[in-house]
Amino acid sequence: MQTQLPPRTLLSLALSLLFLSTAWARRRCSSASPQLLSQLQSQANITRDTATLLEPYIHLQNLNTPTLRAACTEHPVAFPSEDTLRQLSKPRFLSTVYTTLDRVWHQVGALKQQFLKTQAFPELESTRQNIQGIRNNVYCMAQLLHRPLEIPEPTQAYSGTSQSTTITPGAFQTRIDSCRFLWGYHCFMGSVGRVFSEWEDGSRRSRRHSPLRAQRKGVRRIRPSRSSQGRMPRAQVPR
């Protein structure tokens, strides 16, 4: 009799297969820009799914009520907005994604240390591995653009932590803050995936409407037909 794997296990396996190819990305960057862009889109679209991290956290922390869920999603931790990301140049966008994911990686690591003392939460470690895979691909995309990553200076809006109070929050508030952080991370990755999809659309439009392509089309349109090639002017006979 076949044993059916639980949905969370199947999702973890799918993520592992997708991100496995990026383990050595810095040493073996792909030279195919469309393939790399497609992989980045897939990674962003998968990690924006709250089932990969936020939902397990909500259930483990007993936050699965309408009121507590609203507390998580109505006031997410600040991440670069989608409008901000869309207005950046490609090198600056890649640098912002790279740096933001670096901070997420460290904060997820700190959250993992908290859970090691209480209960198992394997999604935290898989999330860190997935983030590393995305960062490797972002690094490779910057290499294909022949532009090194420009690491922006850290700002309060991008820090991922609130600076509005100096009072140490209680255990419940800490759970809510972490929930907001994870929700903000998923929203950020959704924005990243949509911006990458616009890169692909833009590259297709640029190829379709490139000046060289238009010039070639124009040459084909004005090329003389065979019938006109056959009608040559008659020679003038000297009188």
Side-chain angles (χ1 to χ4, degrees):
M1 181 176 66
Q2 294 182 350
T3 302
Q4 186 175 4
L5 296 175
R8 287 173 59 179
T9 303
L10 291 173
L11 180 60
S12 299
L13 290 173
L15 288 171
S16 300
L17 290 174
L18 174 64
F19 290 91
L20 181 63
S21 61
T22 63
W24 298 94
R26 290 197 180 194
R27 296 184 183 180
R28 301 173 58 184
C29 286
S30 172
S31 59
S33 178
Q35 178 182 357
L36 187 57
L37 181 58
S38 176
Q39 190 172 29
L40 279 167
Q41 284 182 265
S42 298
Q43 290 172 324
N45 290 335
I46 288 178
T47 52
R48 75 177 181 181
D49 185 358
T50 58
T52 61
L53 187 58
L54 178 63
E55 287 300 326
Y57 179 85
I58 286 177
H59 288 278
L60 283 174
Q61 296 291 59
N62 297 319
L63 301 175
N64 191 25
T65 68
T67 301
L68 296 178
R69 280 180 172 273
C72 289
T73 59
E74 288 178 356
H75 305 284
V77 172
F79 278 83
S81 68
E82 186 168 332
D83 289 339
T84 298
L85 294 175
R86 188 174 285 109
Q87 293 171 7
L88 297 175
S89 64
K90 287 185 177 181
R92 192 68 176 176
F93 168 76
L94 293 175
S95 298
T96 301
V97 172
Y98 189 92
T99 305
T100 303
L101 289 180
D102 180 68
R103 284 191 281 272
V104 174
W105 187 85
H106 285 289
Q107 192 150 343
V108 170
L111 192 59
K112 177 187 173 183
Q113 292 301 317
Q114 298 175 14
F115 272 90
L116 286 177
K117 304 174 184 177
T118 56
Q119 53 189 318
F121 192 1
E123 287 84 355
L124 290 173
E125 180 56 33
S126 61
T127 295
R128 279 165 59 89
Q129 295 175 1
N130 297 342
I131 289 174
Q132 188 60 45
I134 299 173
R135 291 173 73 240
N136 289 342
N137 274 345
V138 169
Y139 171 88
C140 288
M141 182 61 74
Q143 297 300 306
L144 289 178
L145 294 178
H146 304 290
R147 295 289 297 272
L149 289 172
E150 305 170 3
I151 307 302
E153 294 294 329
T155 62
Q156 179 177 342
Y158 292 5
S159 63
T161 57
S162 174
Q163 306 293 333
S164 60
T165 178
T166 58
I167 300 176
T168 303
F172 176 75
Q173 187 60 46
T174 299
R175 285 188 292 162
I176 293 296
D177 290 342
S178 297
C179 188
R180 291 171 175 173
F181 163 74
L182 297 180
W183 169 250
Y185 163 64
H186 287 300
C187 293
F188 171 72
M189 292 310 301
S191 298
V192 169
R194 286 186 288 273
V195 172
F196 273 130
S197 68
E198 292 174 4
W199 282 26
E200 184 179 19
D201 292 341
S203 63
R204 288 174 178 174
R205 285 195 298 268
S206 63
R207 289 194 300 268
R208 191 183 306 119
H209 301 292
S210 63
L212 180 59
R213 189 179 180 90
Q215 183 179 2
R216 289 174 178 173
K217 285 184 177 180
V219 171
R220 285 197 295 269
R221 283 198 299 269
I222 64 175
R223 183 178 298 171
S225 63
R226 291 182 179 180
S227 58
S228 61
Q229 288 178 348
R231 294 193 296 269
M232 300 298 294
R234 296 180 180 180
Q236 294 286 337
V237 180
R239 296 178 179 177

